[in-house]
Amino acid sequence: MTSMEIEKVPSEPKSAIGFFPSKPQFEPLKPHEMSEGKIQFRKVAVPAHRFSPLKKAWLDLYTPIYEQMKIDVRMNLKARKVELKTRTDTPDVSNLQKCADFVHAFMLGFEVIDAIALLRMDELYVDSFEIKDVKTLRGEHLSRAIGRLSGKGGKTRFAIENSTRTRIVVADTRIHILGSFANIKVARDALCSLIMGSPAGKVYSKLRAVSARLAERF
């Protein structure tokens, strides 16, 4: 054996047939098969003051849920709840929760055109808090704080919404904010400053600086 000769490495043993078995090809599971074929349900309670708006906007809510998200929806008049359930042709199991969040956002007081963003985008949330969580206020002090949050003709609220790309609902002493995580934080900080008694002008200038930073980041 000369120095130039190369040793032959024995090849890996073949199976008895002469070929390794091919990888099995499994079709992806359909959404209704993931939950072992069980139909999943969600129920969203309808508050008394949202019953009339729900009647008026029912078709606007029903169409995207039934036709686009492929989720069955009905109004249970006896229990006063909107009931949702998956179908065999539902493309994704997460659609059920998205639709429940969409209906819940409408019940909190958001417009359909704003709440529908919850169906389209994944990184949107609804955050809720009460004025008393920030500062304990009673009587006229509470009324003035609510007035400061909205501003004359809703001017302050619109300014916060537009600069932070969020939507805000002031329902008595409860505040609901719809938006992305970072934007909700900015809007909540501005609202908390107003509740604590900061003048609107000071809050505006702080918002301008923060929203400019947010714009740079994206």
Side-chain angles (χ1 to χ4, degrees):
M1 184 173 164
T2 61
S3 59
M4 292 300 289
E5 280 181 36
I6 298 160
E7 252 184 279
K8 283 186 180 179
V9 180
S11 59
E12 290 177 18
K14 289 185 179 180
S15 62
I17 313 160
F19 298 102
F20 285 108
S22 59
K23 282 184 182 177
Q25 295 291 323
F26 294 118
E27 281 188 25
L29 283 174
K30 292 185 177 107
H32 71 278
E33 291 172 336
M34 285 183 197
S35 55
E36 298 172 359
K38 289 176 190 168
I39 289 170
Q40 295 190 33
F41 292 90
R42 290 285 185 283
K43 290 179 183 180
V44 182
V46 182
H49 70 284
R50 295 300 287 167
F51 204 69
S52 293
L54 178 65
K55 267 187 194 172
K56 287 175 190 169
W58 179 251
L59 266 180
D60 298 330
L61 287 165
Y62 177 88
T63 309
I65 292 173
Y66 185 80
E67 291 180 5
Q68 291 160 28
M69 305 301 275
K70 303 277 190 284
I71 296 284
D72 278 341
V73 56
R74 72 170 187 184
M75 176 67 201
N76 187 331
L77 289 167
K78 202 174 181 183
R80 286 215 162 194
K81 285 180 180 177
V82 174
E83 297 176 348
L84 304 146
K85 70 166 186 170
T86 52
R87 291 166 19 193
T88 48
D89 63 336
T90 303
D92 193 352
V93 183
S94 65
N95 283 8
L96 181 65
Q97 189 55 49
K98 279 183 185 175
C99 291
D101 292 341
F102 166 52
V103 176
H104 180 62
F106 178 78
M107 297 309 165
L108 291 177
F110 292 101
E111 294 288 332
V112 176
I113 50 168
D114 297 329
I116 207 164
L118 288 162
L119 300 180
R120 309 263 186 272
M121 299 165 79
D122 288 332
E123 63 279 356
L124 290 184
Y125 309 94
V126 175
D127 186 31
S128 301
F129 67 95
E130 288 210 35
I131 289 174
K132 68 178 181 190
D133 297 339
V134 182
K135 192 179 183 183
T136 309
L137 297 167
R138 290 184 188 87
E140 283 188 12
H141 297 291
L142 181 61
S143 305
R144 277 199 294 272
I146 295 167
R148 276 201 304 277
L149 291 176
S150 293
K152 190 179 178 182
K155 189 177 75 171
T156 309
R157 182 169 63 88
F158 291 139
I160 296 171
E161 283 182 345
N162 293 333
S163 58
T164 60
R165 295 187 198 140
T166 55
R167 285 293 172 266
I168 299 163
V169 167
V170 181
D172 196 21
T173 60
R174 280 190 81 73
I175 299 156
H176 311 290
I177 312 168
L178 166 69
S180 67
F181 186 78
N183 291 350
I184 284 174
K185 189 182 181 303
V186 175
R188 194 174 56 223
D189 289 348
L191 291 167
C192 289
S193 300
L194 287 167
I195 293 166
M196 294 299 284
S198 293
K202 198 175 179 183
V203 174
Y204 289 160
S205 56
K206 218 185 246 182
L207 267 177
R208 268 196 294 273
V210 175
S211 55
R213 277 207 304 274
L214 277 174
E216 281 171 19
R217 196 183 300 172
F218 300 113

